[in-house]
Amino acid sequence: MSALERLAATIAERAGADPDSSWTAKLLAKGPEKCAEKFGEEAIEAVIEAVKGDADRLTSEAADVLYHLLVMCAARGVTLAQINAELARREGVSGLAEKAARDA
């Protein structure tokens, strides 16, 4: 099991936890909109670190982005397995071709 799979499992486990004892439970209790807002904040922080060129800070922010992305998806019932399936579906397809298919 990868670190990302373990993280997704931990998020799923903590979804029903007491919000006073778990940051994940606290975020999920605030609803999908708050989870999305927090994901957006973390994504902006990652962009800032990418522009600055600090690889260590970008690594840290990227980990935060992945965590908050999984929490946001969990808030809407989207699992890592579903995301992996979508990535597998796209595998071997040119990004330009995939985008053209969506725009058609």
Side-chain angles (χ1 to χ4, degrees):
M1 182 181 282
S2 72
L4 205 53
E5 290 167 324
R6 288 190 302 276
L7 177 59
T10 299
I11 290 167
E13 288 170 15
R14 294 195 179 149
D18 178 359
D20 290 332
S21 67
S22 165
W23 173 246
T24 300
K26 184 175 281 198
L27 278 174
L28 290 169
K30 291 180 179 181
E33 295 82 5
K34 183 63 177 177
C35 295
E37 178 185 323
K38 189 62 180 163
F39 168 73
E41 290 171 9
E42 296 299 336
I44 290 167
E45 290 174 11
V47 169
I48 290 168
E49 295 306 332
V51 170
K52 286 182 177 178
D54 184 332
D56 290 337
R57 289 294 311 142
L58 176 56
T59 300
S60 177
E61 293 300 337
D64 288 348
V65 167
L66 289 173
Y67 164 76
H68 286 91
L69 173 64
L70 291 175
V71 171
M72 178 181 67
C73 288
R76 288 293 188 199
V78 175
T79 66
L80 180 58
Q82 290 170 295
I83 296 166
N84 279 332
E86 177 61 14
L87 289 171
R89 185 190 68 76
R90 295 179 184 189
E91 209 166 358
V93 176
S94 155
L96 294 174
E98 196 280 329
K99 182 172 178 0
R102 283 188 281 146
D103 293 341

